[in-house]
Amino acid sequence: MFHHSGKLQYDVKVDTPDPQFAKYLQQAIGGIEGEIRVAMQYFFQAMGARGDSKYRDLLMMTATEELSHIEFLGHAVALNLDGAPVTAQEDAAKDPIVNAIMGGMNPRHILSSGLSAMPVDANGVAFDMSHVYATGNLAADMTANAMAEGSGRVLASRLYNMTEDKGMKDMLSFLIARDTMHQQQWLAVIEELGGMPAMLPIPNSTPESHEATQHSYYFLNTSLDEETPEGRWTSGPSLDGRGEFSVVKPPEPLGQKPDLGKARKHSGAQKEQM
């Protein structure tokens, strides 16, 4: 069950409406780095969470907060569309807002939504849930969540730098701050689970007998003309403490040459293939 307040989570003000910036803000709503993505990701992770119920609660509460972000970003889109032309009779030459529209407004903000936000990205592509990751494995989900908040914070930072509107900068500074917290909380769960060494490899419940461990810790240099990029991943103990990193160059193929043999009758192949 969910409850809703009539007030936004954060104050949203637009000093100078900018229909082009409204288009950019759509990425923060319906883009792969946006709020719909993380809201749905945390919801489905919560609904599939097993084990200590506090992690389900953490995910569900954060998912609900992300819905609040969708709401105030949607309001920001609508405020930036304030004054946008809706008829052909409006004079583009005299109106700087119309000029901005001609320079990049999403026409669907007029044609489809009546000057309001939509569940789409900055290119007008609808969010299709293909970037919602909910594995049922707490460690895998937490690492995915930290990444999602990182890419979201990158987006919010870029949007901040794309506007001079004080109201929009203030709203985006709030989003940047909340992304900081959400990054921290997912990483804190990882730490609480024992940190990366204890969690790795994910899932850490897979028996070693199910894994060909002789192939687990070597880096393949597949380049014909580049030396191995030396780093933490090329030598020394593995992060999970189970092995030693090494390098294989050049890699030798371990499999057979694929040959499917003759084509079957009635398969639509040429006679010469049968």
Side-chain angles (χ1 to χ4, degrees), residues 151 165 167 200 208 226:
S151 60
D165 189 277
L200 296 175
E208 284 198 19
E226 296 288 345

mmCIF file of all heavy atoms in Angstrom, residues 151 165 167 200 208 226:
data_model
loop_
_atom_site.group_PDB
_atom_site.id
_atom_site.type_symbol
_atom_site.label_atom_id
_atom_site.label_comp_id
_atom_site.label_asym_id
_atom_site.label_seq_id
_atom_site.Cartn_x
_atom_site.Cartn_y
_atom_site.Cartn_z
ATOM 1 N N SER A 151 25.423 6.642 -12.514
ATOM 2 C CA SER A 151 25.072 7.188 -13.829
ATOM 3 C C SER A 151 23.997 8.259 -13.703
ATOM 4 O O SER A 151 23.993 9.237 -14.459
ATOM 5 C CB SER A 151 24.616 6.066 -14.767
ATOM 6 O OG SER A 151 23.485 5.387 -14.256
ATOM 7 N N ASP A 165 19.328 28.695 -15.145
ATOM 8 C CA ASP A 165 18.142 29.012 -14.355
ATOM 9 C C ASP A 165 18.386 28.652 -12.892
ATOM 10 O O ASP A 165 18.695 27.502 -12.560
ATOM 11 C CB ASP A 165 16.942 28.235 -14.905
ATOM 12 C CG ASP A 165 15.634 28.661 -14.280
ATOM 13 O OD1 ASP A 165 15.318 28.160 -13.173
ATOM 14 O OD2 ASP A 165 14.932 29.489 -14.876
ATOM 15 N N GLY A 167 16.359 28.398 -10.347
ATOM 16 C CA GLY A 167 15.426 27.420 -9.807
ATOM 17 C C GLY A 167 15.784 26.004 -10.202
ATOM 18 O O GLY A 167 15.736 25.074 -9.386
ATOM 19 N N LEU A 200 32.294 -11.733 -2.938
ATOM 20 C CA LEU A 200 32.774 -12.275 -4.206
ATOM 21 C C LEU A 200 33.192 -13.738 -4.076
ATOM 22 O O LEU A 200 33.642 -14.155 -3.015
ATOM 23 C CB LEU A 200 33.974 -11.455 -4.688
ATOM 24 C CG LEU A 200 33.675 -10.000 -5.023
ATOM 25 C CD1 LEU A 200 34.977 -9.271 -5.373
ATOM 26 C CD2 LEU A 200 32.686 -9.881 -6.169
ATOM 27 N N GLU A 208 32.442 -24.450 -5.476
ATOM 28 C CA GLU A 208 33.611 -24.433 -6.357
ATOM 29 C C GLU A 208 33.620 -25.619 -7.308
ATOM 30 O O GLU A 208 34.190 -25.542 -8.405
ATOM 31 C CB GLU A 208 34.897 -24.387 -5.528
ATOM 32 C CG GLU A 208 35.211 -23.032 -4.939
ATOM 33 C CD GLU A 208 36.674 -22.907 -4.516
ATOM 34 O OE1 GLU A 208 37.505 -23.708 -4.993
ATOM 35 O OE2 GLU A 208 36.963 -22.011 -3.704
ATOM 36 N N GLU A 226 49.129 -4.984 -29.247
ATOM 37 C CA GLU A 226 49.227 -4.199 -28.020
ATOM 38 C C GLU A 226 49.730 -5.074 -26.885
ATOM 39 O O GLU A 226 49.351 -6.243 -26.766
ATOM 40 C CB GLU A 226 47.864 -3.605 -27.626
ATOM 41 C CG GLU A 226 47.300 -2.599 -28.610
ATOM 42 C CD GLU A 226 48.033 -1.281 -28.588
ATOM 43 O OE1 GLU A 226 48.795 -1.053 -27.616
ATOM 44 O OE2 GLU A 226 47.864 -0.485 -29.538
#
